[in-house]
Amino acid sequence: MPNKGRLRYPALKLLEESGIDPVYDPGSRSLITPTNMDSVYIVYARAEDIPGVVAAGAADLGITGHDLVLESGEGVEELLDLGFGKARLVIAVPDDSGVRDIKDIRPGTRVATKFVRLTGEFFRGIGVDVELVRISGAAEVMPILGAADAIADVMSTGTTLALHGLRPVHTVLESSARLIGRPSVAARRDLVDGIVESLRSVIMAKKRKLLLMNVPDENLKDVLSVLPSMSGPMIAKVESERPMWEVLAAVPLDRVPSLVVELRRKGARDIVAMGLERLMP
């Protein structure tokens, strides 16, 4: 997993939510940390090096950015989109450059980037022969220093670009954190599959809420007609003077606000929305 940067702490949090807890030794500076699971260790590495580490078989799984996987060109498989670390690889130019669109980029333009493979492929794809300036540090300062006319870099909010007088003119690709592995892992297959499914269950749970409600018998059909669920809602008879049913369903998170209003109109009552820790269809 990344040893620093914007992916490190969300990745650690996801592992902990999945039941994989690092066991820290306060006096140790080791980049290999045991966990509460037998035979499972966390190895910290630069995010850009992780595809190569996994491809070489030095680690069974890795967490890094989609952009870094593509840039590496390594033969690894993206197993899960982890849902955090969202960013864009963009072409950005100085505000006073006169460039308003990617079509305004002329042959010979110097483009500073760490993403030489992806940037080169992009410009070749649109038929513009640019000069790539390979860098390993901050790209934003290159136009200010006169070392480049434009940059290709990852942008999350755009704040850093704006602070350096730059603005994006084109998005090369969308990126987020991914769980990667080798296409075939013969050794420790069950353990690896178990970790992947554990992470998947936590990610899926974040996208849904569990709705619990009481529904009078005469309203049950109407409520079920508007209630989305996975394989189907769970229904149980409520012991009450009036014929009543308890209905339970896992529903998409983004539909909860409007759905609660609609369910009440259809006759549901005592509605409770609960978070999920894991979801395994």
Side-chain angles (χ1 to χ4, degrees):
M1 95 154 40
N3 60 351
K4 60 181 180 180
R6 60 191 175 87
L7 301 183
R8 174 184 169 90
Y9 292 105
L12 279 172
K13 182 180 179 183
L14 177 61
L15 286 185
E16 291 170 355
E17 290 172 338
S18 303
I20 305 172
D21 296 316
V23 179
Y24 294 108
D25 179 353
S28 173
R29 300 181 64 183
S30 174
L31 295 178
I32 302 177
T33 303
T35 71
N36 60 320
M37 295 180 64
D38 291 339
S39 302
V40 177
Y41 293 81
I42 297 175
V43 179
Y44 296 98
R46 295 198 315 163
E48 53 265 43
D49 293 336
I50 290 175
V53 171
V54 173
D60 295 311
L61 298 168
I63 294 176
T64 191
H66 174 59
D67 53 333
L68 297 175
V69 173
L70 296 182
E71 177 64 23
S72 73
E74 298 285 359
V76 295
E77 179 182 358
E78 294 188 354
L79 304 174
L80 292 175
D81 184 338
L82 301 180
F84 59 82
K86 294 183 178 181
R88 296 184 289 150
L89 176 61
V90 301
I91 308 299
V93 299
D95 287 327
D96 59 0
S97 67
V99 174
R100 292 291 177 265
D101 186 86
I102 195 64
K103 295 177 182 178
D104 297 329
I105 300 287
R106 297 293 175 230
T109 296
R110 296 169 301 162
V111 182
T113 186
K114 291 178 283 190
F115 299 91
V116 175
R117 174 194 293 268
L118 291 174
T119 305
E121 289 177 352
F122 168 73
F123 279 107
R124 284 192 296 274
I126 64 172
V128 179
D129 185 16
V130 300
E131 178 185 342
L132 296 178
V133 180
R134 184 188 296 269
I135 60 172
S136 59
E140 296 88 354
V141 73
M142 293 296 110
I144 297 173
L145 295 177
D149 307 306
I151 69 170
D153 202 13
V154 171
M155 180 188 83
S156 296
T157 64
T159 301
T160 302
L161 291 180
L163 286 174
H164 290 83
L166 300 170
R167 53 182 170 75
V169 293
H170 189 79
T171 296
V172 176
L173 64 85
E174 305 276 349
S175 183
S176 61
R178 306 294 168 93
L179 180 71
I180 63 173
R182 285 173 288 158
S184 61
V185 180
R188 309 204 307 165
R189 180 79 261 175
D190 290 344
L191 179 59
V192 169
D193 286 348
I195 292 173
V196 173
E197 290 308 311
S198 184
L199 293 172
R200 191 195 309 274
S201 70
V202 172
I203 294 167
M204 292 188 66
K206 292 178 183 293
K207 299 177 181 179
R208 289 183 177 263
K209 283 281 189 181
L210 194 63
L211 288 187
L212 174 66
M213 67 203 77
N214 289 327
V215 182
D217 184 70
E218 65 271 19
N219 300 118
L220 182 61
K221 184 176 180 180
D222 289 339
V223 167
L224 295 182
S225 70
V226 299
L227 184 63
S229 59
M230 300 180 71
S231 298
M234 185 179 78
I235 304 172
K237 188 173 180 61
V238 177
E239 294 297 332
S240 61
E241 293 183 2
R242 181 182 180 184
M244 187 84 65
W245 298 91
E246 181 182 74
V247 179
L248 185 68
V251 303
L253 181 63
D254 59 355
R255 288 203 57 190
V256 171
S258 60
L259 188 57
V260 167
V261 174
E262 192 170 8
L263 288 169
R264 286 179 61 83
R265 288 174 179 165
K266 296 293 186 180
R269 60 178 64 179
D270 309 325
I271 302 173
V272 178
M274 298 177 287
L276 297 168
E277 290 187 4
R278 294 174 185 254
L279 186 60
M280 292 165 279

